[in-house]
Amino acid sequence: MPRKLAAGNWKMNGSTAALAELTALEQAMATDAPDVVICPPFPYLTLATGTATKSVAIGAQDCHPATSGAHTGDVSADMLADLGIGHVIVGHSERRTDHDESDATIAAKTKAAWSAGLIAILCIGESAAERDAGQTLDVITRQLANSVPDGATPDTLVIAYEPIWAIGTGAVATIDQIAEVHAAIRAQMAQRFGDTGADIALLYGGSVKAGNAADIFAVKDVDGALVGGASLKASDFAPIVDALKHS
Ligand code: PGA
């Protein structure tokens, strides 16, 4: 069985004051809650690991493929591991767009994460134009083939399906759309990696909120969520964690 995971992506939001949300989240969560990871911006990682000590793990939003060197402004996976970080998001669509990240770059980042002992939360997803053109499954298949390195296991990889048109828009994908894509991802991972591949956790991301989380978590092959806007406040995120626990 894949492990359930509720992941929060703060993107370029937050402040030292906002770290109080981590404490509030821990207080709001049941003791037997599923795995939870919150990914604040780089400058807050150390403070966040010091604030969240029990049930909330801290992750990063990106890493560079190299271990060190002349890459101004970048952060390596080894540095994240050095800080005690256990997860890193790679291939988020906002990085694919803002920083021209290719599937090959994302594969290299994933390998760097693994070398440092981190779990990669690898994001894939189609644009509105690709969905309208009937290309969704082709896009997903290609992104997985080109960005997931050989040797992926449930202990090293989590895949987040995030249709780009559903991110931050309030336009959540339908249950049928999520079910179709998640089944395709599960099948592709099982075909490539066998039984182990079938146990890789698959998250849905894109306008997940307390009000729609239970319906999304009831979909077959959905093992959790990657949440942006609704992860910023403990009062919004804790009900999503609770919905996952009861799914
Ligand atoms: P959203 O973002 O929940 O604000 O739509 C999801 C994401 O980009 O991970």
Side-chain angles (χ1 to χ4, degrees):
M1 283 282 284
R3 254 181 108 85
K4 293 180 184 179
L5 174 67
N9 172 14
W10 280 10
K11 308 190 179 185
M12 200 170 71
N13 297 296
S15 60
T16 49
L19 295 174
E21 295 296 330
L22 298 174
T23 317
L25 179 61
E26 285 189 325
Q27 283 165 357
M29 277 166 42
T31 44
D32 58 347
D35 292 348
V36 171
V37 56
I38 296 284
C39 304
F42 284 137
Y44 301 114
L45 287 178
T46 308
L47 287 169
T49 52
T51 305
T53 48
K54 294 198 309 274
S55 38
V56 177
I58 299 302
Q61 298 175 17
D62 182 47
C63 67
H64 192 277
T67 50
S68 64
H71 303 288
T72 302
D74 280 313
V75 172
S76 74
D78 291 61
M79 293 171 183
L80 299 174
D82 188 34
L83 292 177
I85 303 296
H87 293 76
V88 61
I89 299 171
V90 292
H92 192 280
S93 63
E94 286 152 17
R95 291 206 60 88
R96 290 178 188 257
T97 303
D98 292 357
H99 301 274
D100 277 334
E101 290 192 8
S102 65
D103 285 334
T105 303
I106 293 154
K109 291 183 174 200
T110 305
K111 283 190 202 167
W114 292 352
S115 298
L118 303 183
I119 298 171
I121 302 174
L122 193 156
C123 304
I124 56 172
E126 82 285 2
S127 66
E130 288 164 339
R131 176 160 285 276
D132 290 347
Q135 297 167 347
T136 298
L137 293 185
D138 291 344
V139 169
I140 298 302
T141 304
R142 189 184 67 235
Q143 288 178 334
L144 286 176
N146 295 337
S147 62
V148 175
D150 289 340
T153 75
D155 294 330
T156 58
L157 183 70
V158 173
I159 295 170
Y161 167 55
E162 300 205 306
I164 296 169
W165 48 270
I167 295 176
T169 58
V172 67
T174 67
I175 296 303
D176 286 350
Q177 288 169 334
I178 297 171
E180 180 188 38
V181 175
H182 277 241
I185 298 170
R186 184 79 84 214
Q188 190 172 343
M189 291 298 97
Q191 189 184 32
R192 185 163 161 202
F193 300 114
D195 289 347
T196 316
D199 275 346
I200 292 171
L202 309 184
L203 312 183
Y204 168 78
S207 298
V208 176
K209 308 260 178 301
N212 59 25
D215 288 345
I216 292 169
F217 295 147
V219 178
K220 189 168 180 294
D221 297 317
V222 173
D223 307 310
L226 179 55
V227 182
S231 71
L232 295 171
K233 293 258 173 273
S235 54
D236 291 332
F237 197 57
I240 296 173
V241 176
D242 201 49
L244 184 60
K245 174 175 132 89
H246 290 102
S247 67

